[in-house]
């Protein structure tokens, strides 16, 4: 399904470090290190980033110039390539001027130097690890956030000046380093995009769900997201402008992505949706997309209950289908007004790994799994088969009735990303890697995925509950703990990994 809005490119600043007095002493060394830096810049650009390559930083003056260059271009992340020894005083000004997150790249060009032929200049081209402790000491004392990637450079050919083999692209140390670099680029893209995002908050939270209440200023301050407060009358205004042609297009879209329940439900109130229910869901879905486009939204947290039988109650009865369609188009929609989980869903979607709205449903002690899902919405891109639409005679615990999605996330690796709030008002991410398995689900019109953890269900829940989570979270496909951790570091948000499969 085509996304309504796309990920912004991360702006990555890159420089290579060295010591100015080396250049006159060792012919060709500066150009050689500069070529390594350009190699890194080209590979990072190929990962989809917008790259700002400064060149060589070899003294305090160049450090200040590089910092000003990166700050002027508002980079999201700096890759500080440790090409050879450098004094920390040369590099520190870069990061005192530009406050972007920094990743030191200690990427050695060769797996093994030529011990018999290596000269001092040759050695200096391979001693990038030498200044890293000095840099980290200075950064730590200066309050500069940093991370490190160690490994091999991963070039496909050896420079003419080299006295050893520098073809390391096939080696695991190079491949692992570049996987980490790619994750940092993706994480920087999330930060860059969130800084321009607008999340809608439609209606209210489900009354009494204290864990879901969010401080809108906190969301803006810590994630960079603007929160637009919306009313049901805003959606109703969109509904009044929906044309029959738009309704028909939505019906076609629904037919493409869903199947209609054709088997009886165990609950006599939850059966095949009626033509009237399907028509209403299509109309509401068309209005929902109009609302998203009218307010330029990137995500939506929603919930509404009004007077029984009221017009707005009828409007919210058609929410789930349209919100599932929007979620698949890159506009995550989180029910019960859960803005924090909407943020988690958005991060998953920006990283291309889904992000379906979930909570713990029930434990199957015989199979050692926990069923996880909700009454919608669902991320269609990560479905096991074609999701099913079922008519609900009543929403459990809520007013009204309507059409809901019955589906499960495809089998294989999954990662749950929870977003909670600590007692001191800070956001915190909770990350768990697990496996989605092919097991039975209930026929009650809810999304449900059987999940097996490394631990027993009880041991997993002991750890999860102890972190004071919200009762919702986003389910993504793949093992993404490392990627989510880097995203949290880019955002300056605490992250706790409860289980990592590796």
């Amino acid at each position: 399904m085509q996304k309504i809005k796309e990920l912004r490119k991360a702006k990555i600043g890159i420089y290579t470090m060295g010591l100015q007095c080396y250049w006159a002493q060792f012919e060709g060394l500066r150009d050689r290190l500069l070529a390594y830096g350009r190699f890194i810049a080209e590979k990072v650009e190929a990962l989809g980033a917008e790259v700002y390559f400064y060149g060589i930083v070899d003294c305090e003056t160049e450090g200040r110039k590089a910092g000003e260059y990166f700050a002027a271009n508002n980079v999201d992340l700096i890759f500080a390539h440790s090409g050879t020894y450098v004094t920390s005083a040369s590099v520190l000004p870069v990061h005192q001027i530009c406050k972007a997150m920094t990743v030191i790249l200690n990427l050695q060009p060769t797996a093994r130097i030529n011990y018999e032929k290596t000269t001092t200049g040759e050695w200096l081209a391979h001693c990038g690890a030498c200044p890293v402790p000095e840099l980290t000491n200075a950064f730590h004392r200066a309050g500069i956030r940093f991370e490190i990637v160690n490994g091999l450079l991963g070039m496909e050919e050896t420079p003419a000046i080299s006295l050893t083999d520098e073809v390391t692209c096939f080696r695991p140390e190079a491949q692992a380093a570049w996987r980490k670099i790619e994750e940092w680029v993706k994480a920087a893209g999330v930060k860059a995009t969130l800084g321009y995002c607008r999340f809608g908050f439609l209606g209210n939270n489900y009354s009494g769900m204290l864990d879901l209440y969010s401080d809108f200023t906190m969301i803006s301050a810590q994630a960079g997201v603007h929160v637009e407060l919306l009313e049901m009358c805003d959606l109703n205004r969109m509904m009044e402008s929906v044309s029959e042609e738009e309704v028909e297009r939505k019906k076609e879209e629904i037919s493409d992505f869903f199947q209609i329940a054709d088997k009886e439900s165990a609950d006599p109130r939850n059966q095949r949706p009626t033509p009237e229910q399907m028509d209403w869901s299509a109309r509401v879905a068309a209005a929902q997309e109009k609302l998203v486009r009218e307010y330029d939204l990137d995500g939506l947290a929603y919930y509404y209950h009004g007077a029984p039988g009221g017009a707005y109650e009828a409007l919210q009865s058609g929410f789930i289908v349209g919100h599932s369609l929007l979620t698949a188009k890159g506009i995550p929609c989180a029910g019960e007004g859960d803005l924090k989980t909407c943020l988690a869903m958005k991060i998953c979607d920006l990283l291309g790994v889904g992000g379906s709205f979930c909570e713990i449903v029930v434990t199957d002690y015989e199979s050692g799994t926990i069923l996880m899902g909700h009454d919608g919405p669902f991320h269609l891109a990560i479905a096991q088969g074609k999701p099913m639409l079922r008519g609900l005679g009543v929403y459990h615990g809520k007013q009204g009735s309507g059409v809901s999605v019955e589906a499960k996330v495809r089998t294989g690796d999954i990662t749950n990303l929870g977003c909670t709030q600590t007692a001191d008002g800070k956001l915190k991410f909770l990350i768990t890697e697990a496996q989605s398995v092919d097991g039975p689900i209930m026929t009650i019109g809810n999304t449900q995925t059987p999940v097996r953890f490394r631990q027993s269900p009880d041991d997993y829940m002991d750890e999860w509950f102890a972190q004071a989570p919200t009762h919702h979270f986003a389910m993504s496909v793949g093992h993404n703990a490392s990627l989510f951790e880097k995203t949290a570091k880019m955002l300056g948000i605490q992250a706790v990994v409860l289980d990592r499969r590796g």
Side-chain angles (χ1 to χ4, degrees), residues 340-362:
K340 295 186 291 293
T341 298
C342 188
L343 175 63
M345 293 167 70
K346 184 65 178 182
I347 289 170
C348 292
D349 189 79
L350 289 174
L351 293 169
V353 293
S356 206
F357 191 59
C358 285
E359 66 185 8
I360 292 176
V361 176
V362 70

Side-chain angles (χ1 to χ4, degrees), residues 443-502:
T443 59
I444 58 171
N446 283 15
T447 71
Q448 304 151 71
T449 301
V451 175
R452 180 170 290 122
F453 297 88
R454 187 188 300 275
Q455 310 135 293
S456 71
D458 286 345
D459 287 343
Y460 164 72
M461 289 189 288
D462 282 345
E463 291 192 6
W464 181 260
F465 297 159
Q467 292 295 329
T470 61
H471 71 277
H472 298 145
F473 51 87
M475 185 180 293
S476 70
V477 291
H479 282 163
N480 307 311
S482 177
L483 189 53
F484 291 158
E485 279 184 296
K486 289 179 175 65
T487 302
K489 287 174 180 175
M490 286 296 307
L491 296 170
I493 292 173
Q494 178 190 0
V496 176
V497 180
L498 300 181
D499 193 3
R500 188 195 307 269
R501 290 299 178 106

